[in-house]
Amino acid sequence: MKKEDIRIIFMGTPEFAVESLKALVENGYQVVAVVTQPDKPVGRHQDKLQPSAVKQYAVAHGIPVLQPVKMKDAEFIDQLQAFKADLQVVVAFRMLPEVVWAMPRLGTFNVHAALLPQYRGAAPINWAVINGETETGVTTFFLDKDIDTGRIILQKSFPIPDTADVEYVYEGLMCLGAKTAMETIDLIASRLPKNGAEETDFRKVLDDISVPQSQNVAELRSAPKIFKETCEINWNQPAKQIYDFIRGLSPYPGTWSNMSLMDNDAEKMDKTFIMKIFRTAKTTKPMTDRPGTFVIEKNRLYVNSADHLLEIIELQLSGKKRMDARSFLNGFHDVEQYRLMS
């Protein structure tokens, strides 16, 4: 069976998913419909609706769009069935009920931005960088009843440089994910019978090109959703751990810390700002004071951690623009009277 003959429904929402959809469309795959999230209210009064990045691409290329509020809605299920898809491809979308993922004769596969079984969950790219991993990757796998546990089809690795932030890894995996999605469809197409087969034949083919996820992993690391509270910096940790935490959340959503004015040795919070930190640099300078206290040397800004000084390169103070540390010090002259609180 040729790839062009496989009827595909694509499911996704953010920019990360657009790259895969674009690759399928531009390389001649038959995308018969797109499923994405309902338009989001935006603006000061929430009176405008913003379509998802996937919807914008689909509309621009004349692809039918479905936007169910509930995935088990009977009307949506009927609409989905009417497209008679052979295969569903999911990239950065919500959890699907069995009635949806089991519908196509060739099943539904997901493009996950991690090397499963590691980093199952909503934010695998962030957590891989936060945990100081030197490698991550992309996995395509068939969906089943549990989250991110299905049979693996393909895996591709991607190195994480020590200086890379999450934006760098995001963009790299976005492109790698698109390439892997196409390779996965090509693999499925290459193994299908040329002149028709029963449903049981299709299932056997799908099992032959995939393997169960390993159960012999000493430590499984998860990738839960990121919230504002997740992004607060704990300065009582070693500098390397803080460094990885900051780059794992930069540039978005960005790490933050309360910067409080102290009254001599007493930690009396007379005035507090929120400082977002986007980029730091590791040093070999040992800590000189309590974690969170500042050190200025030669117009460079450092902060104490549990073991070393960490240099702050880029930051943003509440109500101000993002800036480099030198610009911050030029306008904030009593910084050493403050402390970043954990």
Side-chain angles (χ1 to χ4, degrees), residues 279-285 293-303 309-315 324-330 332 335-336:
R279 190 157 65 96
T280 59
K282 294 176 292 183
T283 77
T284 57
K285 300 174 183 289
T293 52
F294 290 105
V295 175
I296 300 174
E297 291 182 2
K298 299 179 180 179
N299 212 27
R300 298 171 76 166
L301 180 63
Y302 301 87
V303 61
L309 293 182
L310 191 66
E311 183 177 5
I312 296 179
I313 307 295
E314 288 185 81
L315 59 94
D324 58 36
R326 183 181 294 272
S327 299
F328 169 72
L329 291 174
N330 286 340
F332 205 107
V335 66
E336 288 178 298

Side-chain angles (χ1 to χ4, degrees), residues 34-274:
V34 158
V35 181
T36 191
Q37 295 277 33
D39 296 355
K40 285 181 62 176
V42 295
R44 183 176 180 182
H45 303 290
Q46 300 285 284
D47 55 351
K48 297 180 181 179
L49 292 177
Q50 176 70 40
S52 72
V54 162
K55 179 181 178 179
Q56 292 179 52
Y57 182 88
V59 169
H61 290 79
I63 304 171
V65 177
L66 302 179
Q67 296 178 272
V69 175
K70 296 181 178 179
M71 299 298 291
K72 292 183 179 180
D73 180 78
E75 182 179 356
F76 167 65
I77 299 299
D78 289 343
Q79 291 174 329
L80 207 59
Q81 288 175 328
F83 285 102
K84 298 180 180 178
D86 299 305
L87 177 69
Q88 291 175 156
V89 179
V90 181
V91 184
F93 197 53
R94 66 175 99 171
M95 186 175 179
L96 303 182
E98 184 172 359
V99 67
V100 173
W101 59 255
M103 187 181 298
R105 61 176 183 164
L106 302 180
T108 301
F109 77 79
N110 185 68
V111 179
H112 187 73
L115 297 175
L116 292 173
Q118 295 293 359
Y119 296 106
R120 294 170 177 159
I125 304 176
N126 297 96
W127 286 107
V129 181
I130 288 171
N131 289 332
E133 302 286 2
T134 58
E135 182 183 71
T136 184
V138 166
T139 302
T140 55
F141 67 97
F142 288 116
L143 293 190
D144 63 13
K145 294 180 181 180
D146 298 314
I147 298 176
D148 299 338
T149 59
R151 293 174 66 89
I152 291 173
I153 310 166
L154 292 176
Q155 285 192 319
K156 305 287 183 179
S157 62
F158 182 84
I160 305 177
D162 184 60
T163 55
D165 62 18
V166 76
E167 183 176 47
Y168 171 89
V169 183
Y170 178 97
E171 292 176 354
L173 294 184
M174 183 169 64
C175 296
L176 183 60
K179 180 180 178 182
T180 309
M182 291 191 295
E183 290 183 13
T184 300
I185 298 171
D186 291 349
L187 176 62
I188 293 171
S190 71
R191 300 296 181 87
L192 294 178
K194 305 298 182 184
N195 51 2
E198 297 296 328
E199 181 71 10
T200 52
D201 293 328
F202 286 119
R203 296 303 171 187
K204 182 178 184 305
V205 168
L206 301 183
D207 285 345
D208 287 345
I209 64 169
S210 60
V211 296
Q213 292 190 33
S214 173
Q215 302 299 317
N216 301 317
V217 180
E219 180 186 4
L220 278 178
R221 289 187 162 180
S222 61
K225 188 175 181 179
I226 302 291
F227 296 96
K228 180 182 178 182
E229 295 76 17
T230 312
C231 303
E232 184 176 8
I233 301 169
N234 179 4
W235 296 101
N236 295 307
Q237 296 175 326
K240 174 64 165 64
Q241 196 167 338
I242 298 171
Y243 169 80
D244 290 336
F245 182 73
I246 291 169
R247 66 192 183 98
L249 293 166
S250 178
Y252 181 83
T255 58
W256 61 275
S257 188
N258 286 314
M259 190 176 91
S260 301
L261 182 65
M262 297 182 295
D263 180 17
N264 296 324
D265 293 331
E267 295 178 9
K268 179 182 177 183
M269 292 189 245
D270 297 325
K271 194 172 184 180
T272 300
F273 302 91
I274 293 178

